[in-house]
Amino acid sequence: TVTYKETNKSYGSKVKDAFSAVWVGFILIPISFLILWFNEANYVYAQKALNNAGKKAKYVDSASAVEAEKRDQLVWLTGRTTGEGSALKDAQFDVTAPGDALKLQREVQMYQWQQTKHVDKREIPVGNNQTRVEKTERFSYSKVWRSSVISSNSFVDKSHCNPPEIKVGSNQTFAKPNLSVGSYKLGSTFERLIVPNDPVSTKYFQYYGNAYPSAPAEFKIGDTRVIHKVARAKEVTILARQGAGGELSEWVDNSTGRRVWAYENGKKTLKEILDSKMKTEGWLCVVLRLVGFGLMWLGISMTWEPLVAIVDPVPILGPLVDFARNVGTGLLAAVLSLMTIMVAWLYYRPFIAVTVIAGCLAAIYHKELAAAFASYM
């Protein structure tokens, strides 16, 4: 346990720091506008690219020969992933994967100490409207399995010591060549999506490599375990560009420059694939809108930090001004965010925006006519 003592900043220092925060606010505000603006553009381009994909995508039968006339076109297909060659094997650890395994991954982990820091703070009044902060740092130690060495050189308690390296092997992945779906070869984009996650073997070793016949009741620091996982063949649905020889890669929509592709488990229709991607883009748009609003709120709030710092020592008034600042800047940020989104809509989706505005005006005008007629009657 290590204890530190610090004294809170003086009133003048707090006010000075508050004025410095104003410049950070002036940086965050334009950044928030840019996020909101380009987020709308991104969503519009994503919708357009996916709509174009829906119109241009052609179905191909993965079990049949590659259709050469569809070269460089957007295609979609379903089928079972396969690879060439015999069953994968890790000779060093005498592990053979099932015949339908496309990849075999070896993960080597060592049993080590891990240090965790806990910080406790306590404020102690010292007079003159100041407090002293007493900060206590506590360090705890636990035993964990890790694929990389945790250096114990920085540990506070030197009685906990980790070995400098892992002696038993290293991480490695074995893969069958020419991974494909029927007649169509998977490009690098799709090969990377085949991730081994099905454990088939776990072996334990002492630090210098002597194997344990079985998992011991209690492990020692430096012990090593070797886990083997596989990625098995399965049915998938793919949306991609068909290249030379039937190799599948990302398709680029020329009108937007957006890359469009999909790799889904199971048998899916083209509509299901595009609907799923559209839903993902919609959620991304919502999240970035919230991020833009949050940054704008924070930026505007920071520009009012000097006023809050000046009145902070005054009882009742300080907390009241801080509350008013938070509410007021939040409302202002909401209005500016909505205005930015509306202007972006007018720029990127003029037809939809004009239609919505016209509908709102018509509703208001209809309501006024109804009120006038009611008063006349």
Side-chain angles (χ1 to χ4, degrees):
T1 300
V2 184
T3 302
Y4 302 91
K5 294 181 180 180
E6 354 177 288
T7 302
N8 277 6
K9 294 181 178 179
S10 64
Y11 175 73
S13 298
K14 289 182 178 180
V15 173
K16 182 179 178 181
D17 290 345
F19 277 98
S20 300
V22 173
W23 296 105
V24 179
F26 284 148
I27 294 173
L28 292 179
I29 293 171
I31 290 176
S32 66
F33 277 115
L34 291 175
I35 291 176
L36 291 169
W37 181 271
F38 288 108
N39 177 48
E40 297 304 314
N42 177 73
Y43 186 53
V44 170
Y45 291 147
Q47 282 185 315
K48 187 174 181 180
L50 292 174
N51 287 334
N52 290 340
K55 298 174 183 177
K56 296 182 178 182
K58 308 294 183 183
Y59 175 76
V60 292
D61 184 0
S62 61
S64 303
V66 174
E67 300 180 32
E69 66 274 13
K70 290 188 173 66
R71 178 176 175 176
D72 296 328
Q73 294 184 27
L74 179 65
V75 299
W76 70 281
L77 62 148
T78 62
R80 188 173 176 81
T81 51
T82 59
E84 296 180 353
S86 57
L88 296 170
K89 184 173 183 178
D90 183 354
Q92 181 178 349
F93 294 96
D94 192 26
V95 174
T96 301
D100 64 343
L102 304 178
K103 288 184 179 181
L104 171 65
Q105 181 187 68
R106 176 213 299 166
E107 184 178 4
V108 182
Q109 301 176 340
M110 186 169 68
Y111 201 52
Q112 309 173 62
W113 286 110
Q114 176 177 266
Q115 176 180 273
T116 304
K117 182 171 71 172
H118 311 272
V119 179
D120 300 318
K121 290 185 178 182
R122 185 167 63 110
E123 292 189 359
I124 304 173
V126 295
N128 296 325
N129 199 33
Q130 294 190 42
T131 58
R132 186 180 73 239
V133 177
E134 187 174 271
K135 182 171 67 173
T136 302
E137 294 182 352
R138 295 179 293 105
F139 299 89
S140 62
Y141 296 85
S142 57
K143 298 175 182 179
V144 295
W145 290 101
R146 290 289 183 270
S147 295
S148 57
V149 176
I150 300 175
S151 175
S152 56
N153 294 334
S154 60
F155 285 3
V156 174
D157 187 347
K158 299 302 181 182
S159 66
H160 296 87
C161 184
N162 288 328
E165 62 179 333
I166 299 176
K167 292 285 188 180
V168 182
S170 59
N171 296 341
Q172 189 173 350
T173 300
F174 309 87
K176 285 186 175 181
N178 298 324
L179 298 180
S180 60
V181 175
S183 304
Y184 294 83
K185 184 179 183 299
L186 299 181
S188 58
T189 297
F190 301 103
E191 283 189 351
R192 286 195 294 268
L193 298 176
I194 300 177
V195 180
N197 53 22
D198 185 6
V200 293
S201 170
T202 302
K203 297 184 177 183
Y204 299 93
F205 300 85
Q206 296 178 358
Y207 179 63
Y208 287 102
N210 296 325
Y212 285 113
S214 60
E218 184 177 351
F219 292 99
K220 299 177 182 178
I221 294 299
D223 284 349
T224 307
R225 70 179 181 185
V226 180
I227 304 172
H228 285 85
K229 301 177 182 179
V230 298
R232 299 176 183 270
K234 57 185 176 182
E235 187 174 45
V236 297
T237 301
I238 296 177
L239 175 67
R241 168 185 171 272
Q242 177 184 312
E247 181 171 348
L248 302 175
S249 60
E250 299 174 357
W251 178 75
V252 179
D253 176 46
N254 293 328
S255 64
T256 61
R258 294 289 300 256
R259 296 179 181 273
V260 178
W261 58 273
Y263 183 93
E264 301 280 348
N265 293 327
K267 189 173 183 179
K268 304 286 181 66
T269 64
L270 178 62
K271 183 178 184 304
E272 288 174 330
I273 292 175
L274 296 178
D275 286 348
S276 175
K277 296 187 77 66
M278 191 73 77
K279 186 177 180 180
T280 300
E281 292 292 342
W283 277 111
L284 177 62
C285 181
V286 171
V287 169
L288 289 178
R289 283 173 179 171
L290 293 174
V291 170
F293 163 71
L295 287 178
M296 185 175 295
W297 188 358
L298 178 61
I300 298 174
S301 179
M302 294 181 78
T303 62
W304 287 88
E305 194 66 31
L307 176 61
V308 175
I310 290 171
V311 301
D312 181 60
V314 182
I316 301 178
L317 181 61
L320 183 62
V321 170
D322 189 24
F323 175 77
R325 183 269 302 263
N326 291 332
V327 174
T329 55
L331 291 174
L332 179 59
V335 172
L336 291 176
S337 297
L338 289 174
M339 289 180 63
T340 304
I341 293 172
M342 289 173 62
V343 174
W345 267 56
L346 284 171
Y347 184 83
Y348 291 109
R349 324 186 210 196
F351 178 76
I352 296 177
V354 170
T355 301
V356 171
I357 292 173
C360 292
L361 291 176
I364 294 172
Y365 182 69
H366 176 75
K367 185 176 180 180
E368 290 179 349
L369 282 179
F373 181 75
S375 62
Y376 175 77
M377 294 297 293

